[in-house]
Amino acid sequence: MSLRRVAARFINMDEQTGLAELDRIAADASRVIQKRYWLLSTTFAAAAFTTAIILLPWLALTLNEAPGADVIGLIGLGCFGLMMAAGASWRVFQYGGLKAATPQKPVYADPEDSAVRNLERLFAVLQLESTPRAFYYARNDARRYVAHRYFFGKLRAAHVANDSTIRNALFGPVGFWFAPELFLEVDVDKLIAEAKAKPKRSGVPKKYDYTGAIISLIDHPKVRALDMTKKIGNQKVIIGLLVHWYIGRRLDVPSDTQLAGYANDILEAIKKNRSSNS
């Protein structure tokens, strides 16, 4: 079974819901590192390109024993050193040093998220040498097993992510970028019990907090000021207030079409309340 599916089962009893949660976690983690990784990758690429550009004239000057070859060689060496330093700094960021010696504090947008906690319980088990080793398939379909140290890094969520940003940013304990799909041959239910994980049994999480948005309109001055005798305009006011509530909390905003039904229900409730009080 793919490690991603195992992770989904750790998060939720419903695998599809768990996969959706994994995508959310990975996307949030990607936003945390994207600026830092962009700077690293840009520096690495620029240094590599400059090194390659300098190498050709340096070889030509060296073969012709022309003056200035040593200077150009030193410049090229400096660019190569910058490229290696960029890669080394990213490894240090992920593993706390050039070698993966101990598990690092992972990068998550919200480490207190219950889904994140369950995911970390999986990684805690995978960090043990006694746990069956994860593996990936080489081009010849041969299995290549990975050491437990592969799950020590801060970006270990990349091992179970579809998100390209965090997957492309992952370094292995050996070498540079490491992004093959991992698999695990194990009894998942037994592993969940050993890890003391508590997968949720709920269905697909709600994307929008309609309840909170609607409650925010109770006793709102603009709602109290609505003229219920008007045929048009009131729905637009309610939708605008709901949108403002979502934006103020930096939440995803439903479309006007999605909010229109709630706005009509709110207006109907206001109309009934006012008629009963009159």
Side-chain angles (χ1 to χ4, degrees):
M1 181 183 291
S2 72
L3 185 60
R4 176 173 161 80
R5 290 180 59 197
V6 174
R9 294 269 298 277
F10 262 69
I11 291 173
N12 200 293
M13 298 295 288
D14 179 75
E15 188 174 304
Q16 292 303 314
T17 302
L19 290 171
E21 284 286 87
L22 276 179
D23 290 339
R24 176 184 62 79
I25 292 169
D28 289 345
S30 294
R31 284 191 285 271
V32 175
I33 66 157
Q34 61 184 358
K35 289 184 179 179
R36 186 167 187 163
Y37 180 65
W38 179 86
L39 179 61
L40 161 88
S41 57
T42 301
T43 302
F44 188 91
F49 178 76
T50 306
T51 301
I53 292 297
I54 291 175
L55 182 62
L56 293 176
W58 174 75
L59 285 174
L61 290 173
T62 301
L63 291 174
N64 293 324
E65 297 182 352
D70 291 342
V71 175
I72 293 178
L74 288 174
I75 295 174
L77 187 62
C79 292
F80 179 76
L82 178 61
M83 179 183 71
M84 297 304 295
S89 68
W90 194 240
R91 182 180 301 283
V92 170
F93 166 71
Q94 290 191 41
Y95 295 102
L98 293 178
K99 292 185 178 181
T102 57
Q104 300 297 302
K105 184 178 180 180
V107 169
Y108 292 111
D110 182 9
E112 297 304 317
D113 187 333
S114 61
V116 168
R117 290 199 298 270
N118 277 329
L119 180 58
E120 276 302 297
R121 289 188 177 99
L122 168 61
F123 288 134
V125 172
L126 293 174
Q127 289 164 0
L128 302 175
E129 292 189 60
S130 57
T131 303
R133 291 164 64 186
F135 60 90
Y136 64 93
Y137 288 101
R139 290 184 178 179
N140 61 356
D141 289 333
R143 288 187 179 185
R144 296 286 185 267
Y145 288 89
V146 300
H148 63 287
R149 295 180 295 115
Y150 275 73
F151 303 101
F152 282 5
K154 292 182 179 181
L155 303 185
R156 49 183 172 264
H159 288 302
V160 294
N162 269 337
D163 184 89
S164 59
T165 300
I166 194 168
R167 284 185 67 84
N168 292 340
L170 178 68
F171 273 20
V174 179
F176 287 100
W177 286 272
F178 181 84
E181 182 179 14
L182 295 179
F183 296 85
L184 194 63
E185 206 168 66
V186 71
D187 183 329
V188 179
D189 292 331
K190 183 179 178 181
L191 194 66
I192 289 173
E194 290 177 358
K196 298 181 180 179
K198 298 177 181 179
K200 284 188 176 181
R201 297 178 181 273
S202 57
V204 178
K206 292 182 179 179
K207 184 175 182 180
Y208 304 114
D209 181 9
Y210 291 110
T211 303
I214 292 171
I215 290 175
S216 71
L217 300 186
I218 297 175
D219 290 331
H220 194 288
K222 289 188 177 180
V223 173
R224 291 201 305 268
L226 287 175
D227 182 358
M228 300 307 295
T229 61
K230 292 171 58 177
K231 298 294 183 181
I232 58 174
N234 287 339
Q235 185 192 69
K236 186 176 181 180
V237 172
I238 296 296
I239 291 175
L241 291 173
L242 293 173
V243 169
H244 184 267
W245 184 87
Y246 284 105
I247 293 175
R249 283 154 183 78
R250 297 182 179 180
L251 300 174
D252 290 337
V253 181
S255 67
D256 285 358
T257 302
Q258 290 172 300
L259 292 175
Y262 288 94
N264 288 334
D265 290 342
I266 291 169
L267 290 171
E268 189 64 29
I270 293 172
K271 189 175 182 180
K272 288 181 180 179
N273 287 337
R274 289 187 181 180
S275 61
S276 63
N277 293 332
S278 59

